[in-house]
Amino acid sequence: MTELRSRIAQFVIDVADLDAGVAFWSAVLDATEETLGADSQPVYRRLKLPDSDIRILLQRTDDPKTSKERMHVDLETNDVEAEVRRLEALGATRWDHQQERGHEFWVLRDPWDNEFCVLPPEFPTLLARRDPVPQPSPTPLS
């Protein structure tokens, strides 16, 4: 008998526009798009994270959001306010500033109203191994 094995393969995020979803979440997570079969491309796009074997799967849906998510992504950062400003520049919006259990963090929404959190470091040793977040090139003055 084969040993049973299970693992988280991917985290699914609903978006109304797959191209915009890839652009937003790739920039947020410093992820790269993986090619899917032609039959999957109208509904799904998959992103590979730079430091994890778990994938992000973007799923196209026209269903309106009706309530709070029961699952969401938490991002940790060494500078919460700077990261929130970067994410706002990408299209996220601030939703709720939280203070609980001695922690202060922001709940943001992506362009499709999916909630995600920006936290101070939870795993500082792992965060220290990450490359710095790519910064946008300055816009030349005319």
Side-chain angles (χ1 to χ4, degrees), residues 79-90 94 108:
D79 187 335
V80 171
E81 186 58 32
E83 179 66 347
V84 168
R85 285 192 309 267
R86 182 184 80 86
L87 298 170
E88 285 177 313
L90 294 171
R94 292 179 198 233
L108 302 181

Side-chain angles (χ1 to χ4, degrees), residues 29-50:
L29 301 171
D30 191 26
T32 55
E33 185 175 3
E34 289 186 330
T35 303
L36 292 175
D39 56 333
S40 295
Q41 289 179 3
V43 181
Y44 300 106
R45 300 287 176 81
R46 187 166 50 216
L47 302 177
K48 182 180 185 313
L49 301 168

Side-chain angles (χ1 to χ4, degrees), residues 11-12 68-74 114-116:
F11 189 87
V12 181
K68 180 186 181 303
E69 274 77 31
R70 299 296 300 204
M71 287 199 252
H72 64 270
V73 174
D74 281 351
N114 296 305
E115 296 152 14
F116 64 101

Side-chain angles (χ1 to χ4, degrees), residues 52-134:
S52 176
D53 290 331
I54 297 171
R55 301 303 197 257
I56 300 296
L57 186 70
L58 302 176
Q59 174 178 265
R60 187 182 60 75
T61 182
D62 295 324
D63 297 339
K65 180 180 172 183
T66 59
S67 66
K68 180 186 181 303
E69 274 77 31
R70 299 296 300 204
M71 287 199 252
H72 64 270
V73 174
D74 281 351
L75 303 177
E76 68 176 342
T77 180
N78 59 337
D79 187 335
V80 171
E81 186 58 32
E83 179 66 347
V84 168
R85 285 192 309 267
R86 182 184 80 86
L87 298 170
E88 285 177 313
L90 294 171
T93 55
R94 292 179 198 233
W95 177 248
D96 190 21
H97 186 243
Q98 295 278 323
Q99 293 179 308
E100 59 181 53
R101 299 182 319 268
H103 296 282
E104 194 169 328
F105 61 94
W106 274 99
V107 179
L108 302 181
R109 287 192 169 180
D110 74 4
W112 303 274
D113 283 337
N114 296 305
E115 296 152 14
F116 64 101
C117 296
V118 180
L119 316 169
E122 292 283 319
F123 302 94
T125 304
L126 294 175
L127 183 61
R129 286 196 251 162
R130 285 281 290 134
D131 290 336
V133 174

